[in-house]
Amino acid sequence: MIAILCPGQGAQTPGMLAPWLELPEVAESLAGLSEAAGVDIVRHGTESDADTIRDTAVAQPLLVATAIATGRALLGGAAPALAAGHSVGELGAAALAGVLTDADAMRLVAVRGAAMARAAASSEPTSMAAVLGGDAAEVAAALEKHGLTPANVNGGGQVVAAGAKAAIDAFVAEPPARARVIELQVAGAFHTTYMVPAVADLDAAAAQVSPGEPAGVLLSNADGAKVVDGADALARIVRQVANPVRWDLCMETMLELGVTGIVEVAPGGVLAGLAKRAMKGVPSVALKTPDDLAAARDLLETAA
């Protein structure tokens, strides 16, 4: 079983779509996805600078469109045997798995990105920081001491803390023993109670969607569980906005299910890197440019 993974916010880089536009099917797909979201995906993926694509309302549609378009280029009309996405990547995974149409995924991510940006702007200044290494219990105690939430538990010794900017600053200045703490360039404390106002907006948009059933295995990053019902998958995507991401549990489930390879769709790299540490021995391919498609297809053929 080959897992198809969709990355989350922070994976975007300036100009990342330029090489993909050389594939006519990807260029055509991105044009349609842009229209559905009301965001110029092609311009942001080729011309916009790092600050522009860091904006939550831009980054999230850009990432989901890229995941869908490059996933379709890899899979053609087939559905993945297993799909999962980190944070906003869940919308891309849900589209590839057939729970959402591509257009519905883009309409939802446009609402999600804008609503989360508004929630971040309306609260006290907030931020996030990656914690690399350290003893798990000591890291948890340090987060509690500073009033921070483990917003992403990514596995491989990586946790992302989130909360008030002042608390993040104090945490960076006083890291746990044997741990590195790096503040992230994000607009707010995602996957925490600061995002509760965004949940209502996304829930209202989701009420207009009729989800399908997953064509293969679809994992939820709330708890790593297999989601077998489309309505449940959509409800989980809505709740996820204000709740932690448990990517560590997704990787545990993949190992339990006997996943034999991983392909991370564009802009690939982050999730494949986590898998190398937490899913040792499982081969992976990260799609960065169309040149990576051949290796990804070779990996898929091993499971055919």
Side-chain angles (χ1 to χ4, degrees):
M1 180 187 290
I2 305 299
I4 304 299
L5 308 182
C6 302
Q9 198 163 340
Q12 71 277 7
T13 57
M16 69 185 193
L17 284 181
W20 290 101
L21 294 177
E22 297 174 11
L23 299 182
E25 67 270 28
V26 173
E28 182 179 352
S29 175
L30 289 170
L33 296 169
S34 293
E35 184 176 354
V39 176
D40 192 340
I41 300 296
V42 171
R43 178 172 66 83
H44 287 308
T46 56
E47 300 176 14
S48 293
D49 61 18
D51 285 340
T52 300
I53 63 173
R54 190 178 294 125
D55 180 348
T56 303
V58 173
Q60 294 193 10
L62 175 60
L63 286 163
V64 172
T66 302
I68 291 172
T70 60
R72 300 277 181 222
L74 172 66
L75 298 167
L82 183 149
H86 188 285
S87 187
V88 72
E90 276 203 327
L91 283 160
L96 294 175
V99 170
L100 300 174
T101 66
D102 293 355
D104 279 341
M106 293 309 299
R107 283 190 281 268
L108 288 174
V109 75
V111 171
R112 184 186 192 273
M116 290 175 73
R118 285 194 299 272
S122 66
S123 70
E124 65 177 312
T126 58
S127 188
M128 304 178 80
V131 187
L132 308 176
D135 177 78
E138 291 180 12
V139 170
L143 293 180
E144 184 175 359
K145 172 185 174 182
H146 291 286
L148 296 170
T149 298
N152 301 163
V153 183
N154 287 331
Q158 185 187 116
V159 175
V160 176
K165 178 70 168 66
I168 289 288
D169 290 343
F171 185 49
V172 170
E174 187 187 354
R178 301 179 301 283
R180 250 187 337 137
V181 179
I182 305 167
E183 187 170 6
L184 303 179
Q185 296 299 307
V186 294
F190 303 140
H191 301 293
T192 71
T193 54
Y194 286 99
M195 292 294 111
V196 167
V199 173
D201 290 345
L202 186 56
D203 191 38
Q208 307 304 311
V209 172
S210 297
E213 302 307 305
V217 176
L218 179 65
L219 301 186
S220 167
N221 66 43
D223 53 10
K226 293 191 292 182
V227 186
V228 298
D229 176 76
D232 182 36
L234 184 56
R236 285 169 172 265
I237 286 170
V238 172
R239 293 196 302 269
Q240 176 225 54
V241 167
N243 286 283
V245 171
R246 292 299 307 267
W247 190 251
D248 59 330
L249 299 181
C250 287
M251 290 192 290
E252 287 181 14
T253 301
M254 284 187 264
L255 288 172
E256 290 168 2
L257 293 174
V259 163
T260 55
I262 287 168
V263 177
E264 183 182 1
V265 298
V270 174
L271 301 182
L274 290 172
K276 285 179 181 177
R277 294 192 290 275
M279 300 176 67
K280 294 185 185 302
V282 177
S284 63
V285 176
L287 295 184
K288 299 178 185 295
T289 74
D291 292 341
D292 299 314
L293 285 170
R297 288 169 178 149
D298 287 345
L299 189 57
L300 285 172
E301 287 176 7
T302 67

